[in-house]
Amino acid sequence: MKGIILIMDGLGDRPLKSLGNKTPLQAAKTPNMDKMAEQGINGLMDSIKPGIIPGSDTAHISILGYDPYEVYTGRGPFEASGVGLEIFPGDIAFRCNFSTADENQIITDRRAGRIREGTKDIIDSLNHMVIEGYDDVKIIFKESTGHRAVLVLRGNGLSDAVSDADPKKEGNAPKKVVPTDDSPEAKKTADILNKLIIKSYEMIKDHPINKKRIENNQPPANIIIPRGAGAVPEVEPLNEKYNIKSACIAETGLIMGIARFAGMDIIEVDGATGGTDTNLDNISDTIVNHLKGVDYNFFLINIDGADEAGHDGNSKEKVEFIEKVDEIVIKKLLDIEDCYIILTADHSTPISVMDHTADPVPMVINGPEVRVDFVKQFSEIEAHKGGLCRIQGSNVMDILMDLMNNSTKFGA
Amino acid sequence: MKGIILIMDGLGDRPLKSLGNKTPLQAAKTPNMDKMAEQGINGLMDSIKPGIIPGSDTAHISILGYDPYEVYTGRGPFEASGVGLEIFPGDIAFRCNFSTADENQIITDRRAGRIREGTKDIIDSLNHMVIEGYDDVKIIFKESTGHRAVLVLRGNGLSDAVSDADPKKEGNAPKKVVPTDDSPEAKKTADILNKLIIKSYEMIKDHPINKKRIENNQPPANIIIPRGAGAVPEVEPLNEKYNIKSACIAETGLIMGIARFAGMDIIEVDGATGGTDTNLDNISDTIVNHLKGVDYNFFLINIDGADEAGHDGNSKEKVEFIEKVDEIVIKKLLDIEDCYIILTADHSTPISVMDHTADPVPMVINGPEVRVDFVKQFSEIEAHKGGLCRIQGSNVMDILMDLMNNSTKFGA
């Protein structure tokens, strides 16, 4: 027996006047999702708990059965994992911006003109960096998308109790990093970071990529500004925790990062963009093909487009994307046998708010032995009438494992 | 965007044969509450958790987002706060009765003939009290309603691990206060209390008020009997916890005490009695006027009459009071815009039990962006069909803050 959790990122919404007081999910024509509702068990789900606004990261952590209040140590480690850096408990990870600094190291562009190309080359020349007095600490950079990068400090006696260097506004110098507790580890880490920022400027200000950018009147990517310090936590690998063979099909670095973190395999999909223009055919083919195989019996799937449309406040785009997922992905899943399929979201991203909210999300479970209820439409408004009532993210894996006959009794 | 939590104290009930197996809330004609149900999202709420019988104090603590198992240290501190005493972490607070003792200090009337007037004068003469050997401990008395008063001990090395002095039955001496743990602090506090009780008799037995009462054949209020010791806990002010400007409109000292405790402003209402005879017009005008203002964006409102009728076991009074609140208060709230309004109770006080029970209470939320469900009547029996399903008191502020767009994402 196999299991799938298919998360439509940011799917949940609120009733919109422009849609006749329907949510985008209600307004969309979703015959296949509705069929799932009809032949399944339905409910509402709070990824973390009622009233708490989840990030996509904390929501996925919770849905995978980890406690985000324990595991989530800031965004740095998840970003680092997301860009494919192998990280270890004890490492301190940071998100970084490439920024533009003038000769006095005043930041003139926080995003280095939203640089899109060449950051890998610049990173390569930074990865030799050794900070004077701290040659026991390994410094690892890796480029991410656009002006973004990741920094990992590896060594003894480090701490994530340090402030951000991001000056937030152009025209200021990078903020001095300060320890946020009294430990010598925090003091050491802050000192390393302050030296690292200056050193980054010295090492890359004359990099060929930057010389070329200056020639082209583009702001050079000549300084690294770290923030979001997080100590890499230790988690029990998902495969051990639930005795499964798990894989993740996701579109964004953040979700892949969480999957790597949990020790899951990552299955890449050509043409997956994380936007509403993503290649849903390839995504659905990838799911169906791997379901036929024997390598995995659990899949976490994240399709990101609805969240993007929500953040953009574009209801038409959200409705149309939901309809496309229904037609291309969900339709194919309906034919699959010997599998429990959970369709849900990680959080709501209402069009009216253009950001995440705590409104619970609909959930439906299909599979051979679910207690089919009376709900006939997959939506935020109908779901609560179903047999799942209102559950939490931390319940989801346990429920799925039980249905898959893959968990053990507590007691006799 | 503003927010209101309107708590009808003790509103919840059980079906009554005498009302055709309806609850008082079902039996009452409540067109305005029903309109709230119809245009809102509904559910059941357990103030603490299912099956736990809440006090009004612990219920309100929980609904305000504090953990009553951490914060609630006994009734003393909340009573003290309720009568307007400024109390500080480390203080030990007690509820007290004025009682009547004979010359051998045997209690002949535990409530001093339910004395109603003059206790302030008597308290004034007690507030000089110094206990021999403990002149480092400040002794603060304050009268409450009727025969009730409050005592606060302030000083180093005190403890709330002490027993009650209340003999429970007339004809007995005050119970000797004993330490309930082995600490020197508890021993010291018990010793202070035992001396304080005797000293109170000496100081007030010949007070002019008492002389007059004796002349009028009324039992004198000539001894103080403390109970309900509680160490004043430290809590994060509500305004900081949720980044709001909060005020409380309540009728009873207990609820005002909790609000003060949470650092909320108190808005007094003329004619608010805490009974079914309270001035609901003044209450509703006060709410509406302050909603127009800019001083506050969050209001906790407690209307107490339904609880009183419940404790009295008077179903007719409970039904009629609910109808009056519907007609006078709820009707006015229906017109308010740009505001989320939560109507609920703190606990059930069923007519048949004449005390609190753990039955969950109905809740409805009105406001611009709620996911309207299919519930059309505000009652204990219909509410669970709504989109909130069954939530807990600790979720309420988080849900409201999310709707008010006044909270932050956990994660990215």
Side-chain angles (χ1 to χ4, degrees):
Chain A
M1 190 63 63
K2 290 177 180 170
I4 295 177
I5 301 176
L6 170 47
I7 291 174
M8 289 187 64
D9 210 293
L11 174 67
D13 213 301
R14 295 175 177 175
L16 280 170
K17 278 208 181 114
S18 62
L19 296 176
N21 286 321
K22 289 182 174 177
T23 67
L25 178 56
Q26 284 184 300
K29 283 189 202 88
T30 53
N32 300 298
M33 293 182 192
D34 293 346
K35 194 164 179 197
M36 278 191 75
E38 192 169 351
Q39 65 193 25
I41 183 168
N42 298 266
L44 288 175
M45 192 265 289
D46 296 280
S47 298
I48 298 175
K49 58 184 179 176
I52 303 299
I53 307 177
S56 283
D57 41 17
T58 51
H60 280 77
I61 288 168
S62 186
I63 291 168
L64 287 174
Y66 302 101
D67 180 354
Y69 290 102
E70 254 179 44
V71 169
Y72 189 70
T73 52
R75 194 155 165 180
F78 295 95
E79 287 275 339
S81 176
V83 298
L85 268 186
E86 210 184 355
I87 51 175
F88 301 97
D91 289 355
I92 311 295
F94 302 81
R95 307 166 68 194
C96 297
N97 272 7
F98 279 104
S99 300
T100 307
D102 67 15
E103 62 223 10
N104 299 318
Q105 294 181 21
I106 300 298
I107 303 300
T108 56
D109 189 324
R110 283 177 62 240
R111 297 187 184 88
R114 292 190 179 272
I115 184 170
R116 288 204 161 250
E117 283 170 11
T119 54
K120 189 183 177 332
D121 279 352
I122 303 177
I123 286 286
D124 282 345
S125 68
L126 275 173
N127 266 330
H128 317 288
M129 191 187 288
V130 177
I131 304 291
E132 220 168 298
Y134 298 109
D135 53 6
D136 58 327
V137 175
K138 194 165 180 197
I139 292 168
I140 306 155
F141 287 100
K142 173 125 190 183
E143 74 284 359
S144 179
T145 54
H147 58 281
R148 298 176 199 89
V150 159
L151 162 67
V152 171
L153 301 184
R154 182 170 297 153
N156 290 324
L158 298 171
S159 164
D160 63 353
V162 291
S163 65
D164 291 346
D166 186 353
K168 294 279 176 67
K169 270 190 189 168
E170 274 92 6
N172 294 316
K175 267 197 167 171
K176 195 181 169 200
V177 178
V178 293
T180 57
D181 70 20
D182 289 339
S183 66
E185 289 82 3
K187 196 167 167 292
K188 172 176 174 178
T189 310
D191 196 31
I192 290 172
L193 285 171
N194 287 318
K195 289 180 172 160
L196 176 149
I197 293 164
I198 295 169
K199 188 136 194 170
S200 75
Y201 177 75
E202 290 162 7
M203 287 175 77
I204 60 178
K205 69 182 165 62
D206 297 325
H207 191 282
I209 299 271
N210 282 331
K211 283 192 168 161
K212 207 166 172 185
R213 287 182 68 82
I214 293 166
E215 271 170 32
N216 295 339
N217 268 329
Q218 292 172 310
N222 61 9
I223 196 163
I224 291 277
I225 306 293
R227 69 181 191 280
V232 174
E234 196 153 12
V235 303
E236 189 185 3
L238 199 75
N239 288 356
E240 287 173 26
K241 193 171 158 73
Y242 294 107
N243 188 27
I244 49 175
K245 294 180 289 179
S246 65
C248 174
I249 299 172
E251 304 189 86
T252 60
L254 194 64
I255 304 303
M256 288 190 223
I258 286 159
R260 274 205 195 88
F261 211 73
M264 302 172 78
D265 283 356
I266 308 288
I267 299 169
E268 308 246 0
V269 178
D270 283 348
T273 64
T276 53
D277 61 348
T278 196
N279 192 324
L280 291 171
D281 286 303
N282 285 2
I283 291 176
S284 67
D285 289 346
T286 304
I287 299 170
V288 171
N289 288 338
H290 277 89
L291 271 173
K292 287 182 193 148
V294 295
D295 292 342
Y296 305 107
N297 62 354
F298 170 74
F299 298 87
L300 174 72
I301 299 156
N302 180 287
I303 299 178
D304 200 48
D307 184 55
E308 191 182 78
H311 280 287
D312 290 345
N314 189 333
S315 64
K316 186 165 174 283
E317 195 182 359
K318 192 163 180 178
V319 168
E320 285 173 1
F321 185 73
I322 294 168
E323 291 180 342
K324 272 205 289 182
V325 172
D326 185 80
E327 175 60 28
I328 299 172
V329 182
I330 307 299
K331 193 176 181 183
K332 278 199 184 151
L333 293 183
L334 286 174
D335 299 331
I336 289 169
E337 289 179 356
D338 293 333
C339 185
Y340 284 93
I341 303 178
I342 298 181
L343 172 63
T344 188
D346 51 351
H347 55 77
S348 297
T349 308
I351 296 293
S352 58
V353 180
M354 296 174 68
D355 205 341
H356 303 187
T357 66
D359 300 272
V361 295
M363 169 177 281
V364 58
I365 311 180
N366 272 204
E369 294 207 340
V370 297
R371 294 176 175 170
V372 179
D373 58 35
F374 307 98
V375 176
K376 301 206 182 313
Q377 193 195 60
F378 183 65
S379 81
E380 303 91 335
I381 312 297
E382 295 289 328
H384 76 273
K385 299 180 191 167
L388 291 173
C389 301
R390 183 170 181 166
I391 63 168
Q392 297 193 2
S394 59
N395 306 134
V396 176
M397 281 299 286
D398 288 332
I399 291 172
L400 179 61
M401 290 303 118
D402 176 51
L403 287 168
M404 288 169 63
N405 199 18
N406 197 51
S407 53
T408 52
K409 189 157 45 178
F410 171 44
Chain B
M1 191 63 66
K2 290 175 179 169
I4 296 177
I5 301 177
L6 170 47
I7 291 174
M8 289 187 64
D9 209 293
L11 174 67
D13 213 301
R14 294 175 177 174
L16 281 168
K17 275 204 183 119
S18 62
L19 296 176
N21 286 321
K22 290 182 174 177
T23 67
L25 178 56
Q26 284 184 299
K29 282 189 202 89
T30 54
N32 299 299
M33 293 182 192
D34 293 345
K35 193 164 178 198
M36 279 192 74
E38 192 170 350
Q39 67 195 24
I41 183 167
N42 299 265
L44 288 176
M45 192 265 289
D46 297 280
S47 299
I48 298 175
K49 57 185 179 175
I52 302 300
I53 307 177
S56 284
D57 40 16
T58 51
H60 280 76
I61 288 167
S62 185
I63 290 167
L64 288 175
Y66 301 102
D67 180 354
Y69 291 101
E70 254 179 45
V71 168
Y72 189 69
T73 52
R75 195 154 163 180
F78 294 93
E79 288 276 337
S81 176
V83 299
L85 269 185
E86 210 185 355
I87 51 176
F88 302 96
D91 289 355
I92 311 294
F94 303 81
R95 307 166 68 195
C96 297
N97 272 8
F98 279 104
S99 300
T100 307
D102 67 15
E103 61 223 12
N104 300 315
Q105 294 180 19
I106 299 298
I107 303 300
T108 56
D109 188 324
R110 283 177 60 240
R111 297 188 184 85
R114 292 191 178 272
I115 183 170
R116 288 204 162 251
E117 282 170 13
T119 53
K120 188 183 177 329
D121 279 351
I122 305 177
I123 286 286
D124 282 347
S125 68
L126 276 174
N127 266 331
H128 316 288
M129 191 188 287
V130 177
I131 305 291
E132 220 169 297
Y134 298 109
D135 52 5
D136 58 326
V137 175
K138 194 163 181 199
I139 292 168
I140 306 154
F141 288 100
K142 174 125 190 185
E143 73 285 358
S144 179
T145 53
H147 58 281
R148 298 176 198 90
V150 160
L151 162 67
V152 170
L153 301 183
R154 182 170 298 155
N156 290 324
L158 299 171
S159 164
D160 61 355
V162 292
S163 65
D164 290 347
D166 186 354
K168 294 277 173 71
K169 269 189 189 168
E170 275 92 6
N172 293 316
K175 268 197 165 171
K176 195 181 169 201
V177 177
V178 294
T180 58
D181 69 21
D182 289 340
S183 67
E185 289 83 3
K187 196 166 167 293
K188 172 176 174 178
T189 309
D191 196 31
I192 290 172
L193 285 171
N194 288 317
K195 290 180 172 159
L196 176 149
I197 294 164
I198 295 168
K199 188 135 194 171
S200 75
Y201 178 76
E202 290 163 6
M203 286 175 77
I204 60 178
K205 68 183 165 62
D206 297 325
H207 191 283
I209 298 272
N210 282 331
K211 283 190 169 164
K212 208 166 174 185
R213 287 181 69 82
I214 293 165
E215 270 170 35
N216 295 339
N217 267 330
Q218 293 173 311
N222 62 9
I223 195 164
I224 291 277
I225 306 293
R227 69 181 192 281
V232 174
E234 197 153 10
V235 304
E236 187 185 5
L238 198 75
N239 288 357
E240 288 173 26
K241 192 170 157 74
Y242 295 107
N243 188 29
I244 50 175
K245 294 180 288 181
S246 65
C248 173
I249 299 173
E251 304 190 87
T252 61
L254 192 66
I255 304 302
M256 288 188 222
I258 286 161
R260 274 204 196 88
F261 212 72
M264 302 173 77
D265 283 356
I266 309 287
I267 299 169
E268 310 247 357
V269 179
D270 283 347
T273 64
T276 53
D277 61 348
T278 195
N279 192 324
L280 291 170
D281 286 303
N282 285 2
I283 291 176
S284 67
D285 288 346
T286 305
I287 298 169
V288 171
N289 288 339
H290 277 89
L291 270 174
K292 286 183 198 150
V294 295
D295 292 342
Y296 305 107
N297 61 356
F298 169 74
F299 298 87
L300 173 72
I301 299 156
N302 180 287
I303 299 178
D304 200 48
D307 185 55
E308 191 182 78
H311 280 288
D312 290 346
N314 189 333
S315 64
K316 185 166 174 285
E317 196 182 356
K318 192 163 180 178
V319 168
E320 285 172 2
F321 185 73
I322 293 168
E323 290 180 343
K324 271 205 291 182
V325 173
D326 184 79
E327 176 59 27
I328 300 172
V329 183
I330 306 299
K331 193 177 181 181
K332 279 200 185 151
L333 293 183
L334 285 175
D335 299 330
I336 288 169
E337 288 178 357
D338 293 333
C339 186
Y340 284 93
I341 303 178
I342 298 182
L343 172 63
T344 189
D346 51 349
H347 55 76
S348 297
T349 308
I351 297 294
S352 57
V353 179
M354 297 174 68
D355 205 343
H356 303 187
T357 65
D359 302 89
V361 295
M363 169 177 281
V364 58
I365 312 179
N366 272 205
E369 294 206 343
V370 297
R371 292 174 174 172
V372 179
D373 57 35
F374 306 96
V375 175
K376 300 204 183 313
Q377 194 195 60
F378 184 66
S379 79
E380 303 90 335
I381 313 297
E382 294 291 324
H384 78 273
K385 298 180 191 167
L388 290 173
C389 301
R390 183 169 181 165
I391 62 168
Q392 298 194 359
S394 59
N395 306 135
V396 175
M397 282 298 286
D398 287 331
I399 290 172
L400 179 61
M401 291 302 119
D402 176 53
L403 287 168
M404 287 168 64
N405 200 17
N406 197 50
S407 52
T408 50
K409 191 160 39 179
F410 171 40

